[in-house]
Each structure stands twice: as C-alpha cells, then as structure tokens.
Amino acid sequence: LVFTEEDKYGLYSNLLFKYFLAEGVVCGHDLFVASAKEHPDKILKELPAPLLDDTYRNELGEEATAVKSEDFQDSMKIAWRYQNLPKMEASPTTSTKFGHYYDVSKTMSPELFQSIKRHCFYLPEELTMQPKMKACNMNSAYARLLQSIQRIIYQEGFDGSDPQKKQKNILRIGIQSLGSMLWGDDICSSDTPEDIHSLTKFLYVLRGLLRKSLSACIVTVPAHLIQNKAIMERVTNLSDMVVGLESFIGSERETNPLYKDYHGLVHVHQIPRLNSLICDVSDTKDLAFRLKRKLFTIE
C-alpha cells in the first residue's frame, strides 16, 4: 500500500499517480482506478507515453547537453574549494535503469491499452446505481469502494487461491484523493461522530485485502486538508510506504535561490521492510523533483 500525500494543488501527485498506472499498462497488469473527482476513463486517457530505450537515451542526451552548458556558466561562480569535487550524477544511467521512463508531454497510444483489463469506480455513478448502503461505522462511499475492489479480486482470480484459477497477474489499484470531501468524508467534523474513523477503517480493511491477494495499491490523500495529526499518524501506520510531495507554488521557497532548479520536495516518510516490526526510514532526506519539458525527475 503506497500512500502519497498530495501537494497543495494536486498537480504533481496526480502525475505520480498516472506514472504508477502507466507502469501497470506497460507491464501488462490489470488496472482498477477509483476516483470521486474526475472520471477514471479521463485519467486513463491522460497516462504519459512510455519512452523506448533509444528515445529515452536521446531525451536524456538532450537534457544532459542543456545541463552541461548551464554547468559551464555555473562553474565560473562555484567556490574554488568545491571546484574539483566529483559531480553527483542526477539522471539515472542506463546501467541502473529500473522500470520504464515516460514522456509527460505525450499521452499513451490507445493500442497499448487493448490488451489491458481496466476496471473503473467513479463515485457519482456508483451512488446513482446502488441504493444507499451503510457498513459498520464506515461511510457509504468507502464501503462501496471496498465491495467493488473485493469483487474484482475474487472474480478476476487475484485472490491468491491455490491452485490459481487464472494466469498469474497483478492488479494495480489507484485511488485518487481519498479522505477528501468528495468521498463524503469530513474527517474533522463533529456532526457525524460515528464516521470519524471511516478513513482508518477503510485502510485497515483495504490492507487486509492487499495482503491476501496479488495486488498493489497507490492512494493519494490531500493531507494538507486533514488538520488532525493523530489521524494522519494512524493512516501512516496503516500504510507500507508513505511519500509526501511539497510543491513550491505559492510558498516562499519558490523565490529561494537554493531551490531555483526545482518545483518541489519529496519527503519519504516510510519505506516497507520485510519481516520486521519497524519500517525502514530513508537515509536520503533531501530529495527534490522537477518537471522538465518531457520528464518528471526526482533528484
């Protein structure tokens, strides 16, 4: 369960969300996309186009030559004692290539989608289709979503049953802006005290479903809207990996010369560690991201 804290305007977290789904398409995984904000079909139509190895090298080549000319100008300004230190390699080199790279300026071709099974959950449509339902102290939108995920896991043979009913594959689940008002979840409201633990209950059940099935899930949450620190801590404990995105848009860091090349920071709060009670905390604390012309990079 990958938990992403959205940046304030949801620009970059949305991009990360699409990267996760695009990787699923390229790897031939089944997709399940849930949203209360924009229709999943629209999200899927906007997935970034994968870069093939040659085009990827060319893209990096272009970026590198642009960086080199900048470096030459900057080298005049660097203090002499740093001049001879080796430069850190920012872009991944081909030998350490992991996964696939994507061109954010283009969308994925429809041909790539043909072989992929896609399942969509769009809350406004679900609300009109089914009568009102209420699960044990959980708001109805979450209960419906869980029911839908569970149905897909069992019907499509992702339940890890032995012998395996269908050819082994992985279900990639993407849930957008969970915990927002659009899901009917007013976490900090005292009007519906029985629903106050809806989000944590939902994640607890979801994690159970993920543990006993062949599936992986990314959840984006507008954490800046949730003022209750205790709830955020519980949500973090219920996730395997927690990453926060902080955009510089509208903050004083936007004009800070230290961050002039970047568009925001990536905070890695938690990394899963197998067979251990405690999570792994990343050594690298200073990660920043930038959206180049075609590539979204974390450095």
Side-chain angles (χ1 to χ4, degrees), residues 39 62 72 81 110 132 137 147 152 160 162 207 223-224 265:
H39 201 285
E62 279 176 39
F72 179 71
R81 68 193 186 99
K132 192 168 169 59
N137 293 353
Q147 210 176 39
I152 299 296
D162 191 38
R207 192 171 171 178
H224 56 280
L265 297 175

Side-chain angles (χ1 to χ4, degrees), residues 5-10 221-227 232 245:
E5 294 176 3
E6 293 179 7
D7 50 291
K8 202 179 271 184
Y9 301 105
V221 173
H224 56 280
L225 298 178
I226 302 171
Q227 301 301 319
M232 283 312 295
L245 294 182

Side-chain angles (χ1 to χ4, degrees), residues 44-299:
L44 290 167
K45 276 184 188 132
E46 291 170 355
L47 295 186
L51 286 171
L52 299 163
D53 284 358
D54 302 338
T55 40
Y56 165 71
R57 274 192 210 107
N58 294 343
E59 291 301 334
L60 273 189
E62 279 176 39
E63 301 287 359
T65 44
V67 169
K68 277 199 180 84
S69 57
E70 283 172 31
D71 287 351
F72 179 71
Q73 291 152 6
D74 287 352
S75 64
M76 300 300 173
K77 307 167 199 164
I78 295 175
W80 61 270
R81 68 193 186 99
Y82 295 128
Q83 190 76 57
N84 298 322
L85 285 177
K87 283 220 113 174
M88 287 297 286
E89 182 62 58
S91 320
T93 52
T94 39
S95 57
T96 57
K97 188 171 177 288
F98 176 77
H100 302 87
Y101 296 90
Y102 298 90
D103 180 347
V104 290
S105 66
K106 295 189 189 115
T107 54
M108 198 176 272
S109 67
E111 292 81 57
L112 266 173
F113 273 121
Q114 300 311 318
S115 57
I116 298 298
K117 263 198 165 176
R118 306 183 296 284
H119 311 278
C120 296
F121 180 98
Y122 183 49
L123 187 62
E125 278 177 8
E126 297 288 330
L127 292 174
T128 53
M129 274 160 44
Q130 295 179 12
K132 192 168 169 59
M133 62 177 285
K134 184 85 175 165
C136 51
N137 293 353
M138 192 191 292
N139 89 17
S140 65
Y142 292 165
R144 278 193 177 125
L145 179 53
L146 279 173
Q147 210 176 39
S148 192
I149 293 172
Q150 194 168 19
R151 193 181 68 246
I152 299 296
I153 284 173
Y154 287 103
Q155 280 177 4
E156 302 295 326
F158 292 107
D159 53 349
S161 58
D162 191 38
Q164 189 68 23
K165 289 196 284 286
K166 295 181 183 171
Q167 186 188 355
K168 267 196 167 60
N169 198 352
I170 287 172
L171 177 68
R172 269 187 195 237
I173 303 166
I175 306 173
Q176 193 183 46
S177 288
L178 200 73
S180 76
M181 281 297 290
L182 295 167
W183 286 97
D185 189 2
D186 194 357
I187 289 174
C188 302
S189 167
S190 50
D191 299 343
T192 48
E194 69 276 9
D195 282 357
I196 194 161
H197 298 301
S198 278
L199 182 60
T200 43
K201 276 184 181 165
F202 171 81
L203 289 171
Y204 194 77
V205 179
L206 174 67
R207 192 171 171 178
L209 279 173
L210 295 175
R211 281 288 182 275
K212 58 180 191 186
S213 66
L214 302 168
S215 49
C217 177
I218 189 169
V219 176
T220 71
V221 173
H224 56 280
L225 298 178
I226 302 171
Q227 301 301 319
N228 191 330
K229 292 279 181 286
I231 288 179
M232 283 312 295
E233 276 184 22
R234 281 181 211 141
V235 166
T236 301
N237 290 337
L238 283 168
S239 309
D240 296 308
M241 179 158 187
V242 182
V243 178
L245 294 182
E246 181 193 339
S247 164
F248 293 157
I249 300 170
S251 78
E252 64 270 15
R253 283 183 167 155
E254 196 173 19
T255 52
N256 186 330
L258 181 66
Y259 298 115
K260 71 178 190 311
D261 295 333
Y262 300 100
H263 295 123
L265 297 175
V266 178
H267 305 290
V268 180
H269 299 305
Q270 190 169 296
I271 302 173
R273 181 189 277 171
L274 291 174
N275 304 325
S276 171
L277 288 172
I278 56 162
C279 68
D280 190 17
V281 178
S282 164
D283 300 334
T284 318
K285 292 276 186 259
D286 47 350
L287 290 172
F289 63 82
R290 60 171 155 178
L291 184 56
K292 298 178 182 177
R293 194 164 47 89
K294 293 187 174 183
L295 298 167
F296 176 78
T297 59
I298 295 173
E299 299 173 3

